[in-house]
Amino acid sequence: MGRPPKRNLNYSTWDVDVLENDTSIDNLIDAQGPAGFYVYFSMCQKAYATDGYFYRWGYDNAASTARKLGGGLKSTQVRAIVDLCVSLGLFDKALFTTDGILTSRAIQSRYLDGIARRTGEIPIIVEYWLLEVTPRAGLVFVHKNGETAYKNPNNEQQKPSFCTEDYIRQNEINPQHNLPQKSAVEKSVENRRESCTRIMALLQAYTGINLQGDKQTRKQVYNLFDRGYTEQDVKAVVGLAADSNAPFPPPAQLFGSMFDQLITTPAGSAPRDHYTALPPATKKGRAFNGGY
């Protein structure tokens, strides 16, 4: 009997500008100082190192966590930091309240990136999963009681017969037959990148400034995706900003504090159809308010 598939990660990826353009992180550090981010970062790392996409933690563990992290941390401070992370949305409130689970869409998105090239079936507890439960190669969605909730049928592909005439003919026609195909996770990452590129093109159409290579702006868009917003949501906010008589706001402001204000605009003032054509590329760009 083979070993069960590895679920945790040996290393995790963090963007180099993780401390920039995230108001939740800013509020955490403002309230708790560097210790706030230290505890949050440590909890995320524990998630990747244990179950991969979540970490079981309760207030009873606060003293142990404080001792292991050191730096003069007290259990009361660790509890306060975790509570603040939950209230800021850095950890999912419902799962922490009901199951003592620390996780988020961002943690789970990074986890998918980390297991993209693994083989074997990795069980995912559907009650703890905040992303879409969609067919993904190698994932098996199960309930907390262990019963299978959803299994991707593509995980059980039959091995071809290497001596049939059809197989030989297919390989003669298509020499690429045996090359590995992109996994669902790799396609998902590629789709996010393409969505971000289209959003950058929309910004350029309105402002005349090419932001395709601007890592800061692209990072902000990816953060919005991690929070659950779609490409259409982001385009809608860009459209609202363009429809305003005020100067077009800098991307850092538009995709930061201003985004939450515009995305909740009443339906009566909804933006144009998300799928209408982009404005003419020859349109004179509008200067950012305050520059960029």
Side-chain angles (χ1 to χ4, degrees):
M1 183 175 179
R3 294 182 303 173
K6 180 181 175 67
R7 292 189 300 174
N8 64 323
L9 302 179
N10 292 328
Y11 65 92
S12 63
T13 57
W14 287 79
D15 293 309
V16 295
D17 55 353
V18 64
L19 297 178
E20 301 179 20
N21 306 314
D22 191 327
T23 55
S24 297
I25 296 293
D26 291 341
N27 291 331
L28 174 63
I29 297 177
D30 181 65
Q32 291 290 341
F37 181 77
Y38 177 40
V39 172
Y40 166 67
F41 177 82
S42 300
M43 293 299 189
C44 291
Q45 293 298 92
K46 290 295 290 184
Y48 299 132
T50 55
D51 286 281
Y53 58 97
F54 68 88
Y55 180 44
R56 297 183 186 274
W57 190 89
Y59 292 129
D60 292 341
N61 305 118
S64 177
T65 299
R67 177 182 60 80
K68 293 177 181 178
L69 293 180
L73 282 171
K74 301 297 183 182
S75 60
T76 53
Q77 187 178 8
V78 171
R79 291 183 56 163
I81 291 173
V82 171
D83 284 339
L84 181 57
C85 288
V86 171
S87 65
L88 291 173
L90 293 171
F91 295 127
D92 186 78
K93 182 177 182 179
L95 284 176
F96 179 65
T97 302
T98 59
D99 293 272
I101 295 296
L102 294 178
T103 189
S104 67
R105 294 178 62 89
I107 289 175
Q108 295 179 7
S109 178
R110 295 190 194 103
Y111 177 70
L112 288 180
D113 292 342
I115 63 171
R117 298 185 181 278
R118 289 190 185 175
T119 58
E121 295 181 342
I122 300 176
I124 299 293
I125 299 177
V126 68
E127 288 87 353
Y128 299 162
W129 196 245
L130 302 175
L131 304 180
E132 291 183 87
V133 181
T134 54
R136 296 177 185 273
L139 298 190
V140 178
F141 290 96
V142 299
H143 291 293
K144 289 189 289 185
N145 61 9
E147 295 182 359
T148 300
Y150 176 82
K151 188 173 185 179
N152 184 3
N154 293 330
N155 293 349
E156 299 179 345
Q157 295 178 347
Q158 294 183 348
K159 294 182 179 179
S161 172
F162 293 95
C163 59
T164 63
E165 183 178 347
D166 289 339
Y167 180 85
I168 296 173
R169 184 183 303 111
Q170 184 178 12
N171 278 271
E172 289 175 344
I173 297 174
N174 181 17
Q176 303 290 320
H177 178 76
N178 288 321
L179 292 180
Q181 300 298 312
K182 289 184 178 179
S183 69
V185 174
E186 289 172 314
K187 290 180 180 178
S188 175
V189 173
E190 184 176 327
N191 290 340
R192 282 163 53 95
R193 187 181 301 112
E194 292 176 353
S195 292
C196 186
T197 298
R198 288 191 289 268
I199 292 170
M200 296 299 103
L202 182 62
L203 280 174
Q204 182 178 358
Y206 281 127
T207 65
I209 299 176
N210 186 356
L211 297 172
Q212 292 290 358
D214 189 86
K215 294 183 178 180
Q216 176 179 330
T217 302
R218 296 185 76 94
K219 169 62 178 174
Q220 285 186 286
V221 174
Y222 289 137
N223 283 339
L224 294 175
F225 290 162
D226 289 338
R227 291 172 57 190
Y229 293 113
T230 65
E231 175 186 348
Q232 286 70 38
D233 292 331
V234 180
K235 284 183 176 179
V237 168
V238 174
L240 284 173
D243 288 342
S244 172
N245 293 325
F248 200 88
Q253 177 184 351
L254 178 62
F255 297 141
S257 58
M258 189 175 182
F259 186 90
D260 291 328
Q261 299 173 4
L262 293 179
I263 197 65
T264 57
T265 301
S269 56
R272 63 177 66 82
D273 182 359
H274 300 316
Y275 298 100
T276 54
L278 295 178
T282 57
K283 179 180 177 180
K284 183 178 180 181
R286 299 171 56 188
F288 290 144
N289 180 19
Y292 180 67

